[in-house]
Amino acid sequence: MRRRRFLGLASGVAGSVALTATGCGSGGGASRTGDVTLTMVASDHGDLEGNDLTQDYWDGVVASFEKKNPGIKVNVSVHASGKAEQKVAEMIGNGQAPDLAQIDSFADHAAAGRLYRADDVLSIPVQADFVPALSTAGELRRVRYAMPFTADIQLLFYNRGLFAEAGLDPEKPPRSWEELKQAAVALKAIGVDVPYGLPLGSEEAPTEAMTWMLGNGGGYTGDGGMYAINAPANIQAMGWLRDELVDQGLTTSNPAVTNRQGLFNLFTGGHVGMLNGDLSLTRQADRKKTDYGTAPLPGRDGLSDTTTGSAGWMLAFRREGNREAVAAFLDHVYDVENQFAFADRYHTLPVTVSASEQMRGDKRHKRMRPFLDRLGAAEFFPSNKVSWARVSREIGLYVGQSVLADGDPAAVLGTLQRTAEKEEEAAKEL
């Protein structure tokens, strides 16, 4: 099944940053030497313990930018995970949209005509430097409005110590669903609490379900970008999970109410044998000194051709007189040193080739290399759809029911497909 690749919310993106600007001048934009103040709203990407706050990073970026551009001031406010979008909406409601925002969604702002086209505010060298997998990201009706700022993907994580104890080769993680099932059976035989962690609770179900659907050649959309949630490949994937993992007692007793962070905690404590995870899990597992490995995702009949990707966005809002100042700041934000510094500090994948190459060559980031290797194969949520936010919530609430003992994947996914089609039609009227 062919699909266009789009970026979406992340299971590993923690928050957003927004810039609100007022400028002088009119028409095409203010002079870079004029007095301009930009306002930005951003997500906080600090760790779970509240250390290393993202405000510190942006304060440094702003200070170096203002030193080079004395006529432009930038005020950045950082908000906790999930709060940045609310702040942007509040500002728009008050008639004071920010100049910039680093948040997890963009389609509604693009559809409402609030955003600059990316090529209006990004220099050609910056546009050419985006990682190829992200080259068409952030588009609405084939026009790019949102610029990728962070990226992450899913890989298979497994406990090397538990593998060895179960008689499994830690150097040969499963490459297919059948091999994953057999590894889970072996892990269960030695008393591992959760042989395979399957988080299909509302928090992470859209990511986990899509990952398994992709492994069977499915996904949330099909040819032409239309919703295809109840495609035969997706129904088959959820049915396999129900019959071969859940019914066999190889997961938690009720995956429909199991969320990812709880499983991450169990994994780092040695109670989960395998699960899909993102870069945030490497950070947590390294901190707990967990003996683990990562590998490409198993697919139905061999290694999956792809993986689920997520991203955070940078948006530039149209405000009279701010375009040239916004463009100058974005050139600074996407400078290789700033891109690398953010990814290095907050454990995300760089979205530019130059920063990715710098990270690949850094011995401190050996754990990042498998993620960098698979980013080019990633498929992303259909976040170019205004309807996606609501559809994603519905998937989170209900898709887990399809893998329960009395679950009916065809019925559950059929209901979600009808909901998606209804939301898509409603979005066209906005």
Side-chain angles (χ1 to χ4, degrees), residues 9-14 45 152 154 204 278 280 310 348:
L9 86 82
S11 72
V13 176
H45 291 258
D152 204 348
Q154 298 287 307
E204 282 293 327
D278 55 22
S280 69
S310 60
T348 69

Side-chain angles (χ1 to χ4, degrees), residues 328-401:
F329 186 65
L330 288 176
D331 266 0
H332 186 68
V333 166
Y334 283 102
D335 175 82
V336 59
E337 294 304 324
N338 287 328
Q339 259 288 297
F340 176 79
F342 188 93
D344 174 57
R345 187 166 177 172
Y346 300 108
H347 219 56
T348 69
L349 296 179
V351 299
T352 62
V353 172
S354 56
S356 296
E357 290 176 347
Q358 185 170 337
M359 178 163 283
R360 186 181 295 278
D362 191 322
K363 293 181 180 179
R364 295 177 302 118
H365 293 295
K366 183 178 179 180
R367 289 284 197 186
M368 303 282 275
R369 292 172 188 168
F371 291 86
L372 292 167
D373 291 342
R374 295 296 290 169
L375 178 58
E379 300 244 1
F380 301 90
F381 293 132
S383 55
N384 63 311
K385 294 178 175 293
V386 176
S387 61
W388 173 243
R390 292 186 178 183
V391 172
S392 178
R393 283 195 292 271
E394 291 296 302
I395 292 172
L397 290 172
Y398 298 111
V399 75
Q401 296 178 5

Side-chain angles (χ1 to χ4, degrees), residues 4-6 106-115 117 119 136-146 224-225 382-387 423-430:
R4 295 191 63 191
R5 293 176 178 173
F6 295 96
F106 70 89
D108 53 344
H109 298 302
R114 301 183 187 117
L115 305 179
R117 295 166 56 119
D119 56 12
T136 59
E139 291 185 352
L140 180 70
R141 303 183 185 97
R142 299 190 178 183
V143 175
R144 183 197 286 172
Y145 292 97
S383 55
N384 63 311
K385 294 178 175 293
V386 176
S387 61
E423 293 293 346
E424 185 74 348
E425 284 301 312
K428 291 177 182 179
E429 300 176 2
L430 297 178

Side-chain angles (χ1 to χ4, degrees), residues 221-401:
T221 58
D223 293 337
M226 303 296 290
Y227 282 117
I229 298 172
N230 65 338
N234 296 341
I235 294 172
Q236 185 181 51
M238 303 313 287
W240 189 90
L241 287 174
R242 179 195 62 193
D243 298 339
E244 305 299 329
L245 292 187
V246 180
D247 282 359
Q248 304 304 315
L250 301 175
T251 68
T252 56
S253 59
N254 188 352
V257 296
T258 301
N259 285 321
R260 189 174 299 278
Q261 187 55 53
L263 287 174
F264 281 7
N265 294 340
L266 290 173
F267 180 79
T268 60
H271 302 287
V272 174
M274 302 173 286
L275 78 170
N276 295 329
D278 55 22
L279 277 168
S280 69
L281 181 53
T282 67
R283 198 178 207 182
Q284 295 172 51
D286 288 343
R287 188 174 295 143
K288 293 291 185 68
K289 302 187 183 306
T290 307
D291 183 15
Y292 71 97
T294 59
L297 298 173
R300 178 85 188 199
D301 299 312
L303 288 180
S304 178
D305 292 333
T306 187
T307 181
T308 302
S310 60
W313 306 102
M314 181 70 76
L315 312 183
F317 286 81
R318 303 173 64 91
R319 288 170 60 84
E320 184 177 1
N322 75 342
R323 185 176 65 82
E324 290 189 15
V326 164
F329 186 65
L330 288 176
D331 266 0
H332 186 68
V333 166
Y334 283 102
D335 175 82
V336 59
E337 294 304 324
N338 287 328
Q339 259 288 297
F340 176 79
F342 188 93
D344 174 57
R345 187 166 177 172
Y346 300 108
H347 219 56
T348 69
L349 296 179
V351 299
T352 62
V353 172
S354 56
S356 296
E357 290 176 347
Q358 185 170 337
M359 178 163 283
R360 186 181 295 278
D362 191 322
K363 293 181 180 179
R364 295 177 302 118
H365 293 295
K366 183 178 179 180
R367 289 284 197 186
M368 303 282 275
R369 292 172 188 168
F371 291 86
L372 292 167
D373 291 342
R374 295 296 290 169
L375 178 58
E379 300 244 1
F380 301 90
F381 293 132
S383 55
N384 63 311
K385 294 178 175 293
V386 176
S387 61
W388 173 243
R390 292 186 178 183
V391 172
S392 178
R393 283 195 292 271
E394 291 296 302
I395 292 172
L397 290 172
Y398 298 111
V399 75
Q401 296 178 5

